[in-house]
Amino acid sequence: MISPTVRPLRATYRLQVHKDFTLANVRAIVPYLAELGVSHVYTSPILTARPGSTHGYDVTDPKAINPEIGGEDALRALVRTLHEHDMGYLLDIVPNHMGTGSSNPYWEDMLANGRKARYAHWFDVDWDVPDPALNGRVLLPVLGDELDAVIERGELSIGRGDGGGDPRVRYFDNSFPLSPETLAEIDDGEIAGKGAEPVGRIRGILDRQHYSLVSWRRASKDINYRRFFDINDLVALRMEDPRVFVETHARILELVADGSLDGLRIDHIDGLLDPQGYLDRLRAEVTNRRGADFPIFVEKILSPGEQLREQWPVQGTTGYEILNDLESAFIEADGFASIEDGYRKLLRPSGAELTFEQVAIEGKLRILRGALNPDIARLTRLLLPISKGATRMATHGGAGRGHEEAEPDAAILEEAIVELTACMPVYRTYLDGEGHCTDADSAVLDRAFSLARERGRASPDALELLAEVMRPGAMPDDPDEHEARSAFIRRFQQTSGPATAKGVEDTALYIYVPLVSRNEVGGAPDRPLGSAVRTLHDANAIRATSWPLNLVCTNTHDTKRSADVRARLDVLAEMPDQWMRSIRRWRMLNRGHRISVGRRFAPDPNTEYLFYQALLGVWPIGLANGELPVPEIMDGLHERLEAYMLKAVKEGKSRTSWTDPDEEFEAALKKFIHTVLFRSPTFISDFAALAARLSRPGLWNALSRTVLHLTVPGVPDIYQGDEQWGFSLVDPDNRRPVDYDARRRMLEELDLMGQEEPDHLAAMVASPENGRVKTHVVRSVLHARREQSELFSEGAYVPLEASGAGAEHVIAFARTNGDAAAITLVPRLSASLVGGWNAPVGNEVWGETALVLPRELGERRWVCAFSGRKIDASGNGDGLPVGVILESLPVALLLPVAT
């Protein structure tokens, strides 16, 4: 029997498991992770997923461990090894959706038996759509053409496969079950081929199924099941149904009960109809099995200024809000403003203002009128009966026109829903559907309605109706109207999250790109930067008291670019004039490589500007000034950048997209990338020179952020491989294999250096590109957290000020818990502090700059966890000199010397 002890969280290590990195691979690196100082392995989902899944979020059987990653035996072996090293297991689970397809027996059951199927209640299907041909059937947009054309070409057949079994509908690699009523009609042979009789018979059989096979292009208009965002092969679950919760969580709760799991991470909590109800149910179940302190985290994207709901029974979020707080603290505010101004002029030479808010709203509108149009249509059908008699509605026209008593117009209602959703300043609200509205939700709705009215695109009457429905106060006495309003409110909130995720994260953040280190999940490129350090301190103080176990991330499997890439790009804000001059020069050098496509050049100015940032972000470190990578490395860069840029322009949807690709534009972009990398020597030499100038300051930024990541309130989450330098772009680039053998050797080398080289710290700082300094810092902090676990998990947060000329270049704070204490001190904006290449260390750099300590911390002796140097703070009435603290390393974690 595995011990049910809940192991205290100190630091998690996120791993992506799949058929090429299995649970056995995870088990093999457990000793290394233990030596690094990690307390919990934290993996992507491990339940059975679609064959070949690279991520595990397309679960097809929630009742079994995925055999492709080793199955039950491999899980047991991993858990035993973790416990042998006094480590725990945090698991990512997916309550919002499942993968469709023939490998999902529950989905297959519904397709075969329709709305009366045993498992039909699992799936969020709108069975009663207006289209009579679809009513009571599931629309499957899987065909490359219209159904009749597909049948006529012989691409679709009905029959048994090589393995025998019941006959199925077969379309290339896809197959679909037949209803029991029609199975008896199918003989032992294939019904296939051309000709009127087999074609007509196949069509007749298909018309009697509980699903309708149609062209993939109909998805954005007619699909009648809720999806994960706009992904057709991820079908949403009705987790609000207690039966679905019990049936889909049984195996997970068994693993909680027997001690295999020590925490859960809930994917996409905002996708659920009733997040509060789900979390209350989950908390009750895990408490019954393991106690009230069992950790639960939610993947919840908090917008700037938004707070996690205190009534949610969780330990916190996965940490994107902290990621963005940290990012802002390393960007020079005036420099960013200068870059943004130059960027806007580049795109709009006339000087017309371009704002991120405009781009974000337009991005959401595009999604709402496109991929999420079926969700909007469903909302409109819910609102239409409510609107009759509820308010005076205009039947025609819209904003600014007169109104009369009449039947409401569905198109007008739909436009109001779209506009309100696009104007939401957060992912979603959490109204319970019973007339209750928190102050936070009320403020969000006030902002959304105000902006929607100001924009003037929607009927004022329709917006007033929505305001009445969304904030009704006392719900109607009539039970039918009560249920109708509640259903609309819940479904509206369930729709606004995907609209923001797809419209902002996966559209606007690829379009508005003045400095893409700001364009991160949950980020806002227009967020004020003037008081970023104070904002960070304030947020840390709140987390220390309200969410002390909140996960703290800087990289995840979903980030747009790695933390080390962002740290390098942040330096541009310290040299905005040089950056914009370089952009103008590069555009001039490469103007002849653009290709005319549809009377416009490809790439367009915005895409070209993004490309230069992407190239700068992943440019290899360790090159001398102006030196170029060797051909093998250059070929790899080319492959990665081409894949990234094609994804970026498809996500941006300005010139091409996933659903309507412009192959000519994409070919021109690919040719441009190849040409500027390999056939534009003047450009690439000039580019390499700027990249070399940014390299070292970027590393110092990254090192500072690493220390903050590991010491601010919360539980640090390290993404796979990030204990070394990592320069990656969005997935799949950030999911490349990690060389753990090299990382093991790195720890051994650090141990030898510490024993045999007196000046090993100086060596690490002199050659930071080899990554030893980052690994050394990560291990040192994690070991300190292990030795002082209560300090870092329960300690108070005390912001510290600096005095002197370099005060604005310091971020410092203390963690205190009784006699236990720790002081974190790191530099920021080091490029402008030291003039570029040199490390921000020593009195020559810091001069009279001093760290001001409160009396209870100032009369103590400290030792740096990184260098082992002892520092006596007593008697330093004017503060502790920063140059003394950072004498040998550009970061410090001070711990009290034992007396």
Side-chain angles (χ1 to χ4, degrees):
M1 179 67 180
I2 299 174
S3 170
T5 302
V6 176
R7 289 165 175 77
L9 280 158
R10 296 189 310 270
T12 64
Y13 194 94
R14 169 74 183 206
L15 291 161
Q16 296 295 111
V17 291
H18 45 79
K19 63 183 179 61
D20 297 318
F21 192 83
T22 67
L23 295 175
N25 296 117
V26 175
R27 183 187 179 203
I29 65 171
V30 166
Y32 161 75
L33 296 178
E35 169 57 24
L36 190 65
V38 171
S39 68
H40 287 63
V41 161
Y42 162 31
T43 74
S44 56
I46 61 171
L47 298 176
T48 301
R50 273 201 298 257
S53 175
T54 59
H55 48 74
Y57 290 94
D58 46 1
V59 173
T60 55
D61 187 356
K63 300 179 180 181
I65 306 303
N66 192 348
E68 285 195 346
I69 62 173
E72 297 283 347
D73 290 343
L75 174 61
R76 292 299 176 191
L78 169 61
V79 170
R80 284 195 301 271
T81 302
L82 286 169
H83 292 178
E84 288 167 1
H85 289 81
D86 196 26
M87 293 172 65
Y89 191 176
L90 174 63
L91 179 65
D92 196 343
I93 65 171
V94 193
N96 178 69
H97 56 268
M98 292 182 75
T100 64
S102 59
S103 62
N104 185 333
Y106 315 96
W107 174 255
E108 287 266 297
D109 169 64
M110 186 186 70
L111 294 185
N113 298 288
R115 67 194 307 171
K116 295 182 179 180
R118 178 182 178 185
Y119 294 103
H121 67 283
W122 278 30
F123 304 104
D124 194 352
V125 178
D126 187 2
W127 295 101
D128 300 311
V129 295
D131 184 354
L134 189 59
N135 194 274
R137 305 173 75 195
V138 181
L139 187 89
L140 300 182
V142 297
L143 304 180
D145 202 344
E146 295 304 319
L147 178 60
D148 287 339
V150 167
I151 297 175
E152 184 65 34
R153 289 196 296 266
E155 296 170 354
L156 190 150
S157 64
I158 298 176
R160 293 177 173 84
D162 295 337
D166 289 335
R168 297 176 63 85
V169 179
R170 301 188 180 279
Y171 177 69
F172 294 105
D173 293 333
N174 300 309
S175 71
F176 310 91
L178 292 167
S179 69
E181 297 83 0
T182 56
L183 277 175
E185 303 177 22
I186 310 302
D187 58 30
D188 288 337
E190 292 280 330
I191 301 177
K194 300 182 180 180
E197 185 173 351
V199 168
R201 189 173 178 202
I202 289 174
R203 182 60 192 252
I205 290 173
L206 290 175
D207 286 344
R208 296 196 298 278
Q209 300 310 306
H210 297 287
Y211 54 86
S212 177
L213 302 179
V214 301
S215 166
W216 64 272
R217 290 188 177 276
R218 286 186 59 183
S220 63
K221 183 176 183 291
D222 297 323
I223 200 166
N224 65 332
Y225 60 87
R226 188 170 64 88
R227 302 160 289 174
F228 173 65
F229 299 158
D230 59 351
I231 303 174
N232 295 340
D233 55 12
L234 292 178
V235 59
L237 294 168
R238 297 182 62 253
M239 198 52 64
E240 64 274 13
D241 186 328
R243 296 171 297 169
V244 179
F245 178 92
V246 170
E247 292 166 330
T248 59
H249 284 67
R251 186 70 190 102
I252 291 297
L253 291 174
E254 288 173 358
L255 296 174
V256 170
D258 70 18
S260 297
L261 299 180
D262 294 284
L264 295 173
R265 181 260 200 195
I266 313 304
D267 182 66
H268 192 44
I269 190 68
D270 279 348
L272 303 182
L273 193 71
D274 181 14
Q276 181 75 56
Y278 170 81
L279 292 171
D280 287 342
R281 187 175 294 117
L282 181 63
R283 172 55 68 190
E285 295 291 344
V286 300
T287 297
N288 183 52
R289 289 162 173 80
R290 291 286 291 280
D293 59 345
F294 186 88
I296 299 175
F297 301 95
V298 289
E299 186 206 27
K300 165 61 190 170
I301 311 302
L302 296 170
S303 299
E306 184 183 9
Q307 298 295 322
L308 186 63
R309 302 300 159 119
E310 292 184 359
Q311 63 269 34
W312 282 9
V314 299
Q315 272 60 43
T317 73
T318 53
Y320 284 109
E321 68 281 0
I322 311 178
L323 180 157
N324 287 290
D325 288 341
L326 289 171
E327 196 65 50
S328 296
F330 288 91
I331 301 174
E332 209 286 322
D334 291 339
F336 172 76
S338 181
I339 288 175
E340 188 173 47
D341 182 63
Y343 168 76
R344 288 171 173 169
K345 290 176 180 176
L346 172 69
L347 299 190
R348 296 188 177 183
S350 64
E353 186 176 10
L354 175 71
T355 68
F356 178 70
E357 182 181 63
Q358 294 169 347
V359 174
I361 289 176
E362 289 302 317
K364 287 194 275 189
L365 290 174
R366 183 193 295 264
I367 294 297
L368 291 164
R369 292 170 177 154
L372 296 183
N373 180 256
D375 300 84
I376 296 300
R378 192 172 182 180
L379 280 170
T380 303
R381 292 197 300 274
L382 288 171
L383 184 62
L384 197 58
I386 299 172
S387 69
K388 297 178 180 180
T391 189
R392 297 170 64 87
M393 286 289 302
T395 57
H396 301 289
R401 299 195 177 187
H403 61 265
E404 59 188 52
E405 294 262 13
E407 288 294 309
D409 188 307
I412 291 177
L413 293 179
E414 180 172 306
E415 184 61 22
I417 294 170
V418 167
E419 279 288 318
L420 179 63
T421 308
C423 292
M424 292 286 288
V426 298
Y427 280 68
R428 65 167 286 172
T429 50
Y430 299 93
L431 282 67
D432 64 1
E434 298 299 324
H436 305 116
C437 185
T438 65
D439 290 343
D441 284 333
S442 180
V444 164
L445 290 172
D446 284 345
R447 288 176 60 190
F449 276 111
S450 177
L451 182 55
R453 294 185 185 103
E454 181 183 318
R455 283 171 52 80
R457 268 78 165 178
S459 158
D461 287 336
L463 289 174
E464 287 305 311
L465 169 66
L466 280 173
E468 179 183 341
V469 171
M470 294 292 290
R471 291 182 296 182
M475 292 289 283
D477 293 330
D478 180 85
D480 291 337
E481 186 177 353
H482 182 117
E483 176 57 30
R485 289 196 179 196
S486 180
F488 177 84
I489 290 169
R490 291 173 184 267
R491 181 71 61 174
F492 175 86
Q493 296 176 121
Q494 199 173 29
T495 303
S496 68
T500 301
K502 294 302 297 180
V504 178
E505 283 183 37
D506 292 342
T507 302
L509 292 182
Y510 286 96
I511 297 175
Y512 191 82
V513 292
L515 187 64
V516 291
S517 55
R518 304 198 72 191
N519 291 30
E520 200 44 82
V521 178
D526 56 353
R527 178 180 179 176
L529 292 171
S531 58
V533 174
R534 173 51 53 190
T535 299
L536 174 65
H537 283 314
D538 291 345
N540 284 340
I542 292 172
R543 283 188 284 267
T545 56
S546 300
W547 306 103
L549 294 181
N550 202 103
L551 292 184
V552 181
C553 71
T554 55
N555 285 335
T556 76
H557 59 289
D558 283 334
T559 43
K560 304 297 184 186
R561 48 198 58 82
S562 68
D564 293 343
V565 166
R566 298 195 306 270
R568 180 184 293 177
L569 294 177
D570 287 345
V571 180
L572 295 175
E574 298 182 69
M575 44 183 288
D577 294 339
Q578 182 176 350
W579 169 241
M580 295 312 300
R581 284 196 302 271
S582 295
I583 289 294
R584 290 191 291 270
R585 186 166 60 252
W586 297 341
R587 283 180 46 76
M588 184 67 67
L589 289 171
N590 292 326
R591 67 189 185 282
H593 304 317
R594 302 183 201 114
I595 300 171
S596 179
V597 176
R599 297 184 180 182
R600 298 169 64 188
F601 281 111
D604 53 88
N606 200 54
T607 301
E608 186 177 354
Y609 184 86
L610 176 61
F611 166 73
Y612 294 136
Q613 290 187 79
L615 179 59
L616 187 62
V618 298
W619 191 256
I621 57 177
L623 300 174
N625 188 23
E627 181 184 358
L628 298 182
V630 297
E632 181 182 359
I633 299 296
M634 202 68 176
D635 289 341
L637 276 179
H638 171 242
E639 181 180 345
R640 294 169 60 200
L641 284 161
E642 182 180 282
Y644 169 75
M645 289 304 300
L646 287 175
K647 178 170 183 172
V649 294
K650 286 176 184 288
E651 296 283 16
K653 307 170 190 66
S654 294
R655 297 288 297 273
T656 186
S657 69
W658 298 108
T659 55
D660 290 299
D662 185 329
E663 294 181 0
E664 190 177 0
F665 171 81
E666 292 179 16
L669 176 58
K670 289 165 66 175
K671 185 174 182 180
F672 176 85
I673 293 170
H674 183 273
T675 302
V676 299
L677 289 179
F678 297 106
R679 298 180 183 175
S680 186
T682 304
F683 158 73
I684 203 69
S685 176
D686 191 69
F687 178 90
L690 181 67
R693 179 174 177 183
L694 263 67
S695 180
R696 282 285 177 89
L699 295 182
W700 307 137
N701 270 357
L703 196 64
S704 291
R705 189 214 317 266
T706 297
V707 175
L708 296 181
H709 170 206
L710 301 176
T711 59
V712 297
V715 176
D717 170 36
I718 302 170
Y719 184 61
Q720 55 186 32
D722 202 37
E723 64 274 24
Q724 260 281 4
W725 301 127
F727 299 91
S728 298
L729 301 169
V730 74
D731 69 282
D733 197 58
N734 63 6
R735 303 185 190 184
R736 289 170 293 154
V738 176
D739 187 344
Y740 283 106
D741 288 336
R743 282 161 174 75
R744 286 190 191 93
R745 291 193 298 272
M746 178 70 75
L747 290 185
E748 294 171 358
E749 291 169 4
L750 286 170
D751 289 337
L752 288 174
M753 288 180 67
Q755 297 168 12
E756 300 176 2
E757 298 183 33
D759 295 329
H760 65 283
L761 297 178
M764 283 193 279
V765 173
S767 302
E769 290 80 9
N770 61 31
R772 288 172 178 162
V773 66
K774 184 177 184 182
T775 301
H776 171 67
V777 161
V778 170
R779 182 170 65 165
S780 298
V781 177
L782 295 186
H783 283 212
R785 292 185 69 96
R786 184 163 60 194
E787 295 164 4
Q788 299 281 346
S789 59
E790 291 186 0
L791 168 64
F792 287 100
S793 63
E794 302 173 8
Y797 182 86
V798 183
L800 299 177
E801 300 289 339
S803 63
E808 293 301 311
H809 293 272
V810 170
I811 301 176
F813 57 85
R815 304 295 308 279
T816 62
N817 186 34
D819 291 335
I823 294 173
T824 294
L825 185 149
V826 300
R828 63 186 288 265
L829 310 180
S830 61
S832 52
L833 175 68
V834 301
W837 187 263
N838 295 327
V841 296
N843 287 322
E844 185 177 341
V845 169
W846 291 101
E848 299 301 316
T849 305
L851 183 64
V852 180
L853 297 178
R855 184 171 59 182
E856 60 272 21
L857 298 177
E859 299 300 323
R860 306 181 73 167
R861 296 179 67 237
W862 303 89
V863 60
C864 180
F866 307 140
S867 67
R869 290 185 60 251
K870 291 182 173 61
I871 299 170
D872 191 348
S874 60
N876 288 278
D878 296 328
L880 192 58
V882 172
V884 172
I885 302 173
L886 303 182
E887 182 182 63
S888 54
L889 281 176
V891 291
L893 173 63
L894 304 182
L895 302 171
V897 175
T899 56

